[in-house]
Amino acid sequence: MQRENKKIGWLEGIIEAVHDGILVIDRDGIVQLINEEYTNITGVKREQIIGRTLVEVRPGAQLPTVLKTGKVMEGVFRKEKDMEYVVDMAPIYENSEIIGAVSICKSIPELYELSKELRKSKQRVNQLEKAVGLIHRARYTFSDIIGGNTHLRKLIYQAKKISTSNLSILITGESGTGKELFAQAIHQESTRNAQPFVPVNCAAIPSALLESELFGYEEGAFTNSKKEGKIGLFELANKGTLFLDEIGDMPLDLQAKLLRVLQEGTFRKIGGLKEQQIDVRIIAATNKDLLNMVQRERFREDLYYRINTVHLPIPSLRQRKDDIPEIVASIIRNQKHIREFQIEEDVINILMEYDWPGNIRELKNTINYAVNMTDNDSITYEHLPETIKVLFLQNKTKLNPPQSLEALIKETERKAIMDTLKETGVSVKGKKEAANKLGISLASLYNKLAKLQINL
Ligand SMILES: Nc1ncnc2c1ncn2[C@@H]1O[C@H](COP(=O)(O)OP(=O)(O)OP(=O)(O)O)[C@@H](O)[C@H]1O
Ligand SMILES: [Mg+2]
């Protein structure tokens, strides 16, 4: 009994320290404890209620129901005289038996203050969302895609048409062909253009981190995780576009999770219990052969067909060399120089002959380099980067290579005879000496010269 009293004493001390109004009844519905805040909120004094049956003093009380049903009741609105408050009620268990119930009250003015704070926080969240939206803004539109090549124009037409739909898009093409440029332009043309465009480079993020980058995590989801949790890129891109760059580098287990999100339209944070609705348009890009990866079981077939609803294969620059002069002109225009640049015909010819393994990115870098190398307003062969000059020269010497063994023999004969005659001279004496050196008769030398159509 002494211990019971001591316990009650402790409890009284504790509930006094609580900021909300508290009332506790025992299993018979008799009020055992209240704190001062309860009196402040409801106007009921200790001496009026302690030791008495709750329904006797407060006929409208619902706490006895909780005692009976064992069910928690939350946010119950109560109004008594001019007092308004909200009550949460819960049963108290001991050894899985209900031994009482507790009622926790919050006055409306206090709730009002809290909701004011909540509104302020919401406003802040809104501002932050806008700021995030500004960071994740697409810069390019379709008008930034230069080139009149028919194949490219068809692709742009198709891309514009599907921009406004919510279909997933797969953009393929070599490095530097403009995959991201297309992705941004599609987003800008879509109804989502006021919402974020969030790019993720699946190859640049270590696979162990990619999942938490994409989906985020709840607080304390794992050791070393940030205490307050993390918002994932999916959530950041909500209502906008998520650009999954280099999707061919996404680990298989994550591909399965991505597929679930695309199919269900919901996702769950790491360590989270709640499924969250998400409305994100997916544009994926890769320079890998995904179909081949599917065959080698490196890429999930179901995901492949899910993202491949629309496929935009961007041609390489070498497949649309006709665009080179226009792109070069546009790159020069976009340079921040006031000077007007001329580009020599020869240079354009070299640029047209080169293969551009790095596509438009390489062409851009080359022109920017050349512009910076010039002292006057004209770009000449001299201003091109060494790599291009060397490759160009190598290609030149490779021109007209012998086609057959016969041609090769002819070419070698011609070279051997010409090299020897250069040494000996072309007089009759010289020819005799050359025939000697080559180990053939003078008549045979004359024959060969005639065959090779060499007139000396
Ligand atoms: N048709 C085009 N007209 C003008 N500029 C272009 C065009 N295509 C690409 N570019 C420019 O070339 C550069 C490379 O483009 P982008 O980054 O979109 O290529 P990518 O295909 O995503 O390359 P990677 O596979 O290496 O990521 C960018 O500076 C882009 O603005
Ligand atoms: Mg890219």
Side-chain angles (χ1 to χ4, degrees):
M1 194 62 208
Q2 201 195 1
R3 204 171 147 255
E4 277 294 301
N5 280 341
K6 204 171 163 193
K7 210 157 126 194
I8 297 275
W10 266 86
L11 284 175
E12 269 170 351
I14 292 168
I15 64 170
E16 279 312 329
V18 176
H19 202 60
D20 302 324
I22 294 181
L23 174 138
V24 180
I25 56 174
D26 63 16
R27 56 159 66 90
D28 302 318
I30 294 169
V31 179
Q32 292 294 338
L33 285 168
I34 66 165
N35 67 356
E36 204 174 316
E37 190 60 22
Y38 186 86
T39 307
N40 292 341
I41 295 172
T42 61
V44 179
K45 298 202 175 77
R46 276 179 73 85
E47 53 276 20
Q48 297 174 308
I49 200 165
I50 292 280
R52 296 181 64 184
T53 315
L54 181 61
V55 277
E56 221 180 89
V57 187
R58 296 174 70 70
Q62 296 190 40
L63 199 55
T65 319
V66 173
L67 207 54
K68 256 190 242 151
T69 60
K71 282 203 183 115
V72 170
M73 292 172 86
E74 277 177 351
V76 177
F77 178 74
R78 301 259 342 231
K79 188 172 164 91
E80 240 155 88
K81 297 193 187 110
D82 51 352
M83 295 287 190
E84 288 181 337
Y85 55 96
V86 173
V87 194
D88 292 339
M89 288 162 280
I92 304 170
Y93 283 95
E94 192 178 63
N95 300 330
S96 49
E97 202 185 296
I98 297 179
I99 56 155
V102 56
S103 165
I104 299 157
C105 322
K106 273 192 169 51
S107 74
I108 298 285
E110 192 182 337
L111 283 180
Y112 178 73
E113 280 305 313
L114 283 176
S115 73
K116 223 164 78 182
E117 258 179 45
L118 186 64
R119 246 199 321 273
K120 259 199 229 154
S121 303
K122 271 192 178 158
Q123 269 170 5
R124 177 111 187 93
V125 169
N126 268 343
Q127 280 169 2
L128 288 174
E129 271 178 356
K130 275 196 191 127
V132 166
L134 281 181
I135 298 169
H136 295 295
R137 236 324 94 95
R139 283 185 302 140
Y140 294 114
T141 65
F142 280 113
S143 59
D144 294 305
I145 304 181
I146 312 291
N149 173 274
T150 13
H151 187 71
L152 186 79
R153 282 289 131 198
K154 262 192 204 155
L155 215 58
I156 292 175
Y157 174 78
Q158 194 192 353
K160 269 189 186 168
K161 271 191 104 166
I162 42 96
S163 289
T164 44
S165 76
N166 270 332
L167 295 174
S168 302
I169 298 175
L170 176 65
I171 306 176
T172 57
E174 289 177 14
S175 173
T177 44
K179 295 186 290 295
E180 176 143 10
L181 188 61
F182 263 80
Q184 291 198 14
I186 292 168
H187 172 80
Q188 289 289 55
E189 188 85 4
S190 78
T191 48
R192 296 170 178 262
N193 58 12
Q195 304 293 337
F197 173 88
V198 179
V200 198
N201 189 329
C202 303
I205 302 173
S207 46
L209 292 184
L210 193 54
E211 182 177 0
S212 62
E213 284 296 320
L214 284 177
F215 300 112
Y217 52 77
E218 294 291 356
E219 58 184 271
F222 39 79
T223 24
N224 292 336
S225 58
K226 275 195 221 148
K227 195 166 166 284
E228 66 279 24
K230 184 184 166 77
I231 295 183
L233 295 171
F234 256 104
E235 204 172 337
L236 273 186
N238 199 13
K239 303 219 156 42
T241 305
L242 186 66
F243 176 51
L244 293 171
D245 204 359
E246 317 276 6
I247 195 161
D249 291 83
M250 183 179 277
L252 277 166
D253 56 334
L254 210 49
Q255 290 177 24
K257 288 186 180 144
L258 172 65
L259 182 67
R260 257 202 74 234
V261 180
L262 296 185
Q263 277 169 347
E264 316 278 325
T266 58
F267 80 104
R268 205 182 313 156
K269 281 186 173 181
I270 301 176
L273 300 170
K274 226 175 43 196
E275 289 277 345
Q276 296 185 42
Q277 285 283 335
I278 200 97
D279 168 22
V280 169
R281 202 251 184 105
I282 300 287
I283 303 182
T286 183
N287 54 18
K288 295 198 167 157
D289 182 349
L290 282 193
L291 203 53
N292 181 271
M293 288 182 71
V294 168
Q295 279 151 8
R296 289 184 297 129
E297 296 185 0
R298 297 282 177 81
F299 200 84
R300 287 185 68 105
E301 190 175 11
D302 41 12
L303 179 63
Y304 174 75
Y305 288 110
R306 185 66 182 69
I307 56 171
N308 194 23
T309 335
V310 179
H311 180 199
L312 299 177
I314 314 228
S316 64
L317 187 54
R318 116 186 115 265
Q319 287 168 305
R320 53 183 183 110
K321 286 190 169 175
D322 47 331
D323 278 343
I324 289 178
E326 192 187 342
I327 297 173
V328 169
S330 130
I331 297 169
I332 292 177
R333 240 182 289 122
N334 286 339
Q335 276 259 359
K336 302 251 179 298
H337 295 261
I338 311 143
R339 290 183 289 167
E340 281 274 313
F341 275 91
Q342 301 294 318
I343 204 158
E344 276 189 357
E345 189 74 22
D346 273 1
V347 174
I348 290 285
N349 288 340
I350 293 172
L351 300 182
M352 297 282 275
E353 261 180 55
Y354 182 61
D355 262 355
W356 302 109
N359 293 291
I360 305 193
R361 181 178 294 116
E362 189 183 6
L363 178 59
K364 243 182 161 173
N365 291 343
T366 302
I367 300 301
N368 290 340
Y369 174 88
V371 166
N372 282 303
M373 294 305 283
T374 53
D375 299 321
N376 52 33
D377 300 341
S378 185
I379 297 176
T380 65
Y381 177 78
E382 292 307 310
H383 303 127
L384 293 177
E386 286 309 313
T387 43
I388 293 200
K389 281 193 210 161
V390 168
L391 276 171
F392 178 71
L393 286 178
Q394 275 175 1
N395 280 349
K396 265 254 166 308
T397 51
K398 274 192 217 142
L399 287 180
N400 307 324
Q403 298 295 309
S404 61
L405 186 59
E406 195 190 348
L408 191 65
I409 292 169
K410 246 189 186 172
E411 204 47 46
T412 316
E413 261 187 352
R414 174 201 290 273
K415 196 166 181 310
I417 293 170
M418 293 305 286
D419 285 352
T420 320
L421 285 174
K422 247 186 236 164
E423 265 176 48
T424 59
V426 291
S427 62
V428 180
K429 195 172 156 249
K431 283 178 184 146
K432 266 189 193 161
E433 201 187 324
N436 251 343
K437 278 194 165 186
L438 291 165
I440 51 175
S441 67
L442 184 61
S444 207
L445 180 65
Y446 276 113
N447 259 339
K448 285 188 189 296
L449 287 174
K451 253 198 206 158
L452 292 168
Q453 296 176 332
I454 302 171
N455 297 315
L456 295 170

